[in-house]
Amino acid sequence: MNTSSFSYEKFFHGHSVMFIVPHEDDEINMAGATIYGAIQEGLEVYVVFLTNGDYEYTFDVRCNETYQMAKEIGLPQENIIFLGFGDFIGHEIIYNKSAIITSHANHNQTYGADFASLVMSKPKPYSWNGIVESVIDVILHFKPDTIIATDYDTHVDHRLCTFTVETAMEWIIKHTEFRPQLLKGFAYATGYETIDDYYNNHLLSTVINKKALPTDEFSTGNPTLSWIHRLRILVPQACREKKLIQNPIFKAMASHVSQEGYKRGSRLINGDQVFWKRRTDNIALHADITVSSGNANYLNDFLRFNTVDVKSNVYDANNYMWMPSVDDTERKVHISFTKITQIQVIQLFGSVHKSHELCSIRIETSAGKHVQLDEIIHIGQGISYIFDKPLFLEWIDIYIDKQCLGLSEIELYSATNDKYDYCHILADNHFMYNWVVYPGEKIPMITSYIEGIRKDMLTYRESEQKNTYRWLINDKYIDESVLQILIERELTTKPLQLRLESIDGSVFCEGTIRKGTFKDWFALKCNQLQDKLDYLQVKSKYKKGYKAGKAYK
């Protein structure tokens, strides 16, 4: 038995969530189990597609497949929104932001059942402004509590999605009072191109396929996001179903017949889903920022990096960074507020390409609080400084030494975080539900995943953050220092009930672990063999549909 206090409604800070993806199938690649779980809990779920997926197939093909996907997971058809832009035009739109692009399907404005025509009464041109405006319009029309958008994968349209959503969010934050939670996720490296480990002895957590990354310089496709700082959430019981063809994730992905989704369903069935969070309460977006030299506009534009060529994996600092001039000896950023403002967190981002030279940063505040951060090598993925108590400030000065190329973004927050706290039990760093240690296997290392103490980036604090969680084995509290010893000593074929909980017991996760017998192992392998045979039968049906679609195309 596995239970958890995790709630999608609390995690999404409300009752509605919007998924923004480039193509029809990326919704399942990026967040299939999360979409399914949110629907099952009764949340209002919207899925927004930037493009009509019309590079190889006509829109009606991709549209009908999407409606079939929706039936499989219980998503209302009216909650599917097509923005109607052309497939595979990401490079052209970003490379020439003033141009109107004609797509491979010979369109230069949104069409089909597109949101702009249906709701805003006028189609949008295939241009940078057109797509950004469409994203702003759809977000403000539905005003979801949380947005989850596809991040910087290898496909040019995924990269377009990254920049359009973040540019849209900058406008929304600066010009409206609406503040949704924003999460980013990958559709390729953790989905479409990920590792197929479905037939392992255990349900493993999501891993990133390093071979799918554009360069080994970064741990994810987005140079500002670190894999070790990922946010992880559990997946619903139905999405952990070990009969492949009955799993809703497989059935949903297989609905995208033209994309041969039936080949990829097993890659997406894992023990967790992975995202990264972008806070939308950044006070620096409303501050007055001046610099001793260089262009200050990059410091509060919501973009931690940028490029004019999404086909390239080299990022020119001139496109996204404030860099002081070579003769600037002060190298200073001055941030002033229109009124005394509460600040507790300062986050800084710099060049995404790694430097092997140490640099230092000095922070001075109007409250007399000074901070010196030395020996910083790489700040592309961000550094965070957290004061024990909020400061009430009129201004902040930031000085960088000559070894720092500059800064790409400054983010200031009034409180440490707005995280919804939850936890999960880990077995060898995989999300554990009910774990069987089969003959010949080592007993896994049991540890905890606690969202409340997870770090988004390299973090400096005035004092250490405390862990306020405790462990139970078979309903008895035990000291964490002897947890592994007790598990290894007491583990038998009878399940051990493990519980991780907060001190007040309101946040918890329970799971079981037991020794398996050769009979258990044999049954597992027999079930997997039967599952593969069942898949072959279903595969032939989808394959016929794919071939028919190719002929239709």
Side-chain angles (χ1 to χ4, degrees):
M1 179 181 179
N2 173 259
T3 58
S4 170
S5 60
F6 179 85
S7 160
Y8 284 100
E9 184 172 10
K10 292 179 180 177
F11 177 72
F12 289 133
H13 294 185
H15 197 71
S16 62
V17 56
M18 174 180 286
F19 297 82
I20 304 178
V21 299
H23 308 110
E24 294 76 11
D25 77 344
D26 288 327
E27 77 288 354
I28 305 300
N29 280 321
M30 179 184 74
T34 303
I35 294 172
Y36 181 85
I39 292 171
Q40 292 300 304
E41 196 173 293
L43 273 66
E44 193 74 35
V45 174
Y46 305 97
V47 179
V48 177
F49 298 96
L50 292 188
T51 81
N52 277 345
D54 54 4
Y55 187 77
E56 292 184 302
Y57 292 87
T58 58
F59 169 61
D60 62 316
V61 170
R62 303 300 293 271
C63 178
N64 290 333
E65 290 176 349
T66 301
Y67 289 155
Q68 181 58 41
M69 173 279 298
K71 289 181 182 178
E72 297 292 354
I73 61 173
L75 175 66
Q77 185 171 311
E78 60 269 23
N79 286 12
I80 296 170
I81 300 103
F82 300 101
L83 295 191
F85 288 86
D87 191 358
F88 217 76
I89 61 174
H91 171 71
E92 289 80 2
I93 283 185
I94 288 177
Y95 195 76
N96 189 352
K97 290 185 175 180
S98 62
I100 295 177
I101 307 301
T102 299
S103 72
H104 178 79
N106 203 32
H107 293 277
N108 62 12
Q109 64 180 16
T110 58
Y111 74 97
D114 64 296
F115 177 81
S117 296
L118 293 176
V119 178
M120 311 306 290
S121 302
K122 185 179 180 180
K124 292 286 187 181
Y126 283 4
S127 66
W128 171 255
N129 286 340
I131 194 168
V132 171
E133 288 170 4
S134 282
V135 174
I136 292 171
D137 289 342
V138 77
I139 290 173
L140 293 181
H141 180 79
F142 290 100
K143 290 192 174 179
D145 297 303
T146 289
I147 297 167
I148 301 183
T150 301
D151 208 88
Y152 206 80
D153 275 322
T154 51
H155 195 295
V156 293
D157 290 343
H158 296 216
R159 296 181 171 194
L160 174 67
C161 186
T162 299
F163 294 133
T164 53
V165 169
E166 293 184 358
T167 302
M169 286 308 306
E170 178 202 8
W171 191 93
I172 289 170
I173 294 168
K174 287 183 175 180
H175 295 91
T176 77
E177 298 298 318
F178 182 52
R179 299 290 181 271
Q181 178 179 224
L182 176 62
L183 302 175
K184 307 296 289 296
F186 297 106
Y188 269 25
T190 59
Y192 183 80
E193 298 173 327
T194 194
I195 305 299
D196 192 344
D197 52 18
Y198 175 73
Y199 288 111
N200 193 284
N201 285 352
H202 306 278
L203 180 68
L204 303 182
S205 289
T206 298
V207 296
I208 199 161
N209 185 355
K210 294 181 179 179
K211 293 181 180 179
L213 295 178
T215 170
D216 59 6
E217 184 179 1
F218 312 118
S219 61
T220 73
N222 183 326
T224 69
L225 301 180
S226 169
W227 179 251
I228 63 171
H229 293 135
R230 67 196 184 279
L231 179 158
R232 305 166 68 182
I233 65 172
L234 51 74
V235 299
Q237 172 65 45
C239 299
R240 306 196 301 267
E241 170 62 55
K242 291 299 287 183
K243 291 188 181 297
L244 178 62
I245 63 174
Q246 296 178 12
N247 192 298
I249 300 305
F250 171 81
K251 292 192 287 186
M253 178 53 80
S255 298
H256 294 289
V257 179
S258 69
Q259 307 306 298
E260 296 185 280
Y262 61 89
K263 291 183 176 181
R264 303 198 308 276
S266 62
R267 300 181 195 174
L268 310 178
I269 300 171
N270 293 300
D272 66 352
Q273 290 247 261
V274 174
F275 303 107
W276 285 258
K277 185 172 182 179
R278 287 295 312 269
R279 290 179 65 170
T280 58
D281 56 335
N282 176 13
I283 297 169
L285 292 171
H286 303 282
D288 180 35
I289 298 181
T290 56
V291 293
S292 53
S293 65
N295 184 354
N297 293 333
Y298 290 131
L299 292 172
N300 62 345
D301 62 357
F302 204 75
L303 294 173
R304 293 174 177 174
F305 79 109
N306 202 354
T307 182
V308 297
D309 183 4
V310 291
K311 290 183 178 180
S312 171
N313 298 312
V314 177
Y315 309 105
D316 185 347
N318 290 292
N319 294 323
Y320 66 92
M321 285 186 64
W322 162 69
M323 294 182 292
S325 61
V326 293
D327 59 350
D328 184 351
T329 57
E330 192 175 24
R331 303 171 68 84
K332 171 185 173 182
V333 179
H334 178 71
I335 307 167
S336 60
F337 309 109
T338 57
K339 60 181 179 180
I340 295 177
T341 301
Q342 177 178 310
I343 302 291
Q344 189 170 11
V345 181
I346 299 175
Q347 293 181 350
L348 305 174
F349 297 82
S351 172
V352 300
H353 294 295
K354 294 182 180 179
S355 168
H356 297 289
E357 296 183 347
L358 300 176
C359 71
S360 65
I361 294 175
R362 187 171 86 255
I363 302 171
E364 298 181 358
T365 72
S366 59
K369 192 85 170 182
H370 296 178
V371 175
Q372 181 74 33
L373 301 175
D374 292 319
E375 299 186 353
I376 298 169
I377 297 176
H378 176 50
I379 56 175
Q381 293 170 358
I383 57 173
S384 179
Y385 190 87
I386 302 176
F387 299 104
D388 281 345
K389 295 181 180 179
L391 304 179
F392 293 88
L393 304 177
E394 297 178 51
W395 53 262
I396 298 172
D397 284 341
I398 299 173
Y399 299 85
I400 63 172
D401 75 12
K402 63 181 180 180
Q403 304 300 336
C404 291
L405 183 62
L407 296 174
S408 65
E409 193 74 3
I410 296 173
E411 300 181 10
L412 307 173
Y413 302 104
S414 62
T416 53
N417 62 63
D418 55 355
K419 292 177 181 177
Y420 157 58
D421 200 15
Y422 60 92
C423 65
H424 206 92
I425 299 171
L426 302 178
D428 283 345
N429 204 34
H430 300 287
F431 266 36
M432 190 191 92
Y433 297 91
N434 298 304
W435 194 277
V436 178
V437 183
Y438 293 101
E441 292 183 340
K442 291 183 179 179
I443 297 173
M445 179 64 66
I446 303 300
T447 53
S448 61
Y449 176 92
I450 301 170
E451 175 58 17
I453 61 174
R454 180 186 62 86
K455 295 179 180 179
D456 291 308
M457 60 195 71
L458 178 64
T459 302
Y460 301 89
R461 293 176 175 270
E462 290 187 306
S463 60
E464 288 298 314
Q465 190 175 16
K466 295 180 180 179
N467 183 351
T468 57
Y469 279 73
R470 56 191 179 185
W471 287 91
L472 295 87
I473 298 180
N474 288 343
D475 296 325
K476 294 182 179 179
Y477 291 106
I478 58 102
D479 191 290
E480 185 175 10
S481 63
V482 297
L483 172 67
Q484 192 68 24
I485 295 171
L486 290 177
I487 291 172
E488 294 182 4
R489 188 177 70 193
E490 298 182 16
L491 195 64
T492 65
T493 55
K494 183 179 179 180
L496 280 180
Q497 183 75 37
L498 304 183
R499 180 180 172 97
L500 174 66
E501 67 175 24
S502 58
I503 294 298
D504 64 4
S506 62
V507 181
F508 65 88
C509 175
E510 292 182 347
T512 65
I513 183 170
R514 69 175 179 88
K515 281 186 178 180
T517 63
F518 281 103
K519 184 178 179 181
D520 291 322
W521 179 86
F522 184 73
L524 172 70
K525 295 306 172 183
C526 286
N527 289 335
Q528 289 179 342
L529 177 60
Q530 183 60 54
D531 194 48
K532 292 177 182 179
L533 294 173
D534 293 341
Y535 168 69
L536 289 175
Q537 290 182 327
V538 172
K539 178 182 176 181
S540 63
K541 179 189 75 171
Y542 287 116
K543 195 171 184 179
K544 288 179 182 177
Y546 172 70
K547 288 182 177 179
K550 293 284 281 187
Y552 172 79
K553 181 183 71 171

